[in-house]
Amino acid sequence: MGEESQKKSGFVVLAGKPNVGKSTLMNRLIGEKIAITSPRPQTTRNRIRTVLTEERGQIVFVDTPGLHKAKNKLGDYMMAAADRSIKEADLVLWLVEPKAEIPEAELRIAEQLREIKLPIILVINKIDTVKKPEILKVIDAYQKLCEFAEIIPVSAIKAQGIDDLLGSIFEHLKPGPFFFDEDELTDQPIRQLAAELIREKALRLLDKEIPHGIAVLIDRMEKRDGKDIYDVDATIVCERESHKGIIIGKKGAMLREIGSQARPGIERLLETQVNLKLWVKVRENWRESDLLVANFGYSKDDLKK
Ligand SMILES: Nc1nc2c(ncn2[C@@H]2O[C@H](COP(=O)(O)OP(=O)(O)OP(=O)(O)O)[C@@H](O)[C@H]2O)c(=O)[nH]1
Ligand SMILES: [Mg+2]
């Protein structure tokens, strides 16, 4: 754990509405895929820390669930995780989409952020989807809302503006000790990363109404005796019998597809071959149950302290 007094360090939280590209941007900033991403809002469910260590210092990025009105216990949990992460940060990256007509939800987030006395970098993401003059209008509109340490347009997907953003982050951090070993990349346990990879493929492959109701549990992750292969058993939990049928698909086709799309990522993670078996279970309204939400890996531990 290097302590280099002249080097910068700090916690930088990525906050914003669901689906604005927080997880995509965090992965881009660290150059590795850690957080799962999908076109569906509310993909990220817990706080995910990743670490970037370089010459200038060490940044701990904190990815958070998109800020929205919670509609169940899982939602409460997600918003508590986001709020807490924002309060504990040294610097906020507020991600927005390039829309000069500021959506209502963004106005509420601006209010929330104004109360927290932290420097905020406004990151206008997805600039690959608009023309330059439009970006200027967006900057103009947001400038009236809050005082920003800086405003930086980027495209997480096309890797535009990333160096500018990193430069600006380091500029606004103070010299300080490193919080993680230099070769550490994330605080997420391997089982959690594997479960998330499966959930990501399910999110991407399944019908609209199902993904929000699923959770993934790793039941077993074991190296086979004397062989370079891991056996991984996982359960996809859903809320209704009818959903179970859809997740399994005709003659098991959907479940097989989820498995075969998730396996390569898990193999990269474990650096070995993986034999992945998936199961589906119904737990009605689990998102409304404190106990089940906690059971499915959304532990409230880090919210208490
Ligand atoms: N065109 C474009 N799409 C992007 C960009 N960044 C992210 N996306 C897409 O936006 C969608 C949402 O991305 P995520 O990274 O999952 O968004 P998020 O803010 O983490 O969402 P939640 O976890 O639900 O809060 C995905 O389909 C991404 O591919 C970008 O720079 N340009
Ligand atoms: Mg996310």
Side-chain angles (χ1 to χ4, degrees):
M1 197 108 23
E3 188 166 339
E4 314 244 349
S5 57
Q6 70 281 36
K7 293 205 176 182
K8 305 258 185 118
S9 74
F11 286 76
V12 176
V13 67
L14 293 106
K17 243 170 25 125
N19 212 40
V20 293
K22 298 177 293 298
S23 302
T24 308
L25 180 64
M26 184 178 75
N27 290 340
R28 175 66 73 190
L29 285 160
I30 59 165
E32 293 277 348
K33 165 150 182 181
I34 297 290
I36 64 164
T37 65
S38 94
R40 305 210 188 277
Q42 299 177 38
T43 295
T44 304
R45 285 180 174 168
N46 54 351
R47 177 192 67 181
I48 301 169
R49 285 178 176 162
T50 60
V51 188
L52 179 80
T53 307
E54 55 143 275
E55 271 304 297
R56 288 173 282 187
Q58 183 175 76
I59 305 172
V60 182
F61 290 109
V62 186
D63 187 16
T64 59
L67 298 164
H68 68 283
K69 277 190 190 148
K71 293 200 182 81
N72 48 42
K73 296 277 179 179
L74 176 65
D76 289 343
Y77 166 79
M78 287 161 63
M79 289 309 90
D83 285 348
R84 192 179 161 85
S85 306
I86 294 169
K87 286 184 184 128
E88 287 177 353
D90 297 302
L91 177 67
V92 179
L93 304 186
W94 178 22
L95 264 78
V96 298
E97 295 200 13
K99 290 185 186 135
E101 296 262 332
I102 302 179
E104 187 65 33
E106 301 292 20
L107 299 177
R108 283 197 298 274
I109 293 173
E111 251 169 60
Q112 215 174 320
L113 292 178
R114 270 198 303 261
E115 280 172 24
I116 301 159
K117 308 269 176 274
L118 284 177
I120 303 170
I121 295 178
L122 181 75
V123 180
I124 302 168
N125 188 30
K126 306 194 184 183
I127 57 163
D128 56 290
T129 62
V130 292
K131 298 215 169 78
K132 266 221 175 103
E134 189 61 24
I135 301 170
L136 296 177
K137 284 190 207 154
V138 179
I139 294 175
D140 211 43
Y142 275 92
Q143 242 163 0
K144 294 177 184 132
L145 267 191
C146 274
E147 204 168 309
F148 296 109
E150 209 135 3
I151 299 181
I152 310 215
V154 305
S155 166
I157 289 261
K158 296 259 166 83
Q160 291 164 357
I162 303 300
D163 288 342
D164 284 350
L165 177 56
L166 271 178
S168 166
I169 292 170
F170 275 115
E171 225 168 85
H172 289 94
L173 290 181
K174 297 190 178 80
F178 287 4
F179 299 97
F180 288 84
D181 282 338
E182 294 185 16
D183 56 0
E184 249 172 299
L185 200 58
T186 180
D187 67 341
Q188 300 289 290
I190 289 207
R191 275 173 174 252
Q192 171 78 6
L193 293 170
E196 285 285 89
L197 286 171
I198 297 165
R199 194 167 64 85
E200 177 181 72
K201 302 310 170 198
L203 279 176
R204 291 178 177 212
L205 287 166
L206 291 168
D207 269 1
K208 253 196 244 123
E209 71 272 28
I210 299 172
H212 287 314
I214 64 169
V216 176
L217 293 171
I218 302 290
D219 306 308
R220 180 166 82 115
M221 183 177 270
E222 243 170 44
K223 193 176 179 308
R224 219 179 273 178
D225 263 353
K227 293 232 172 84
D228 214 10
I229 187 164
Y230 261 77
D231 288 301
V232 178
D233 294 352
T235 303
I236 299 177
V237 179
C238 63
E239 293 192 308
R240 290 197 206 137
E241 209 55 51
S242 61
H243 290 175
K244 180 174 170 176
I246 295 169
I247 296 169
I248 292 173
K250 246 193 197 151
K251 296 187 179 155
M254 178 56 90
L255 198 57
R256 262 200 310 282
E257 186 60 24
I258 295 172
S260 66
Q261 289 198 15
R263 188 163 42 84
I266 301 175
E267 290 184 329
R268 268 195 301 279
L269 195 64
L270 294 171
E271 295 178 330
T272 172
Q273 244 182 295
V274 164
N275 173 41
L276 177 64
K277 282 213 192 90
L278 294 179
W279 313 84
V280 185
K281 248 190 221 163
V282 180
R283 286 286 174 274
E284 273 176 32
N285 297 325
W286 68 267
R287 285 181 293 171
E288 288 297 351
S289 155
D290 270 334
L291 184 69
L292 289 180
V293 166
N295 247 353
F296 295 161
Y298 305 108
S299 150
K300 289 200 167 163
D301 281 359
D302 61 19
L303 303 177
K304 283 178 192 155
K305 267 186 212 164

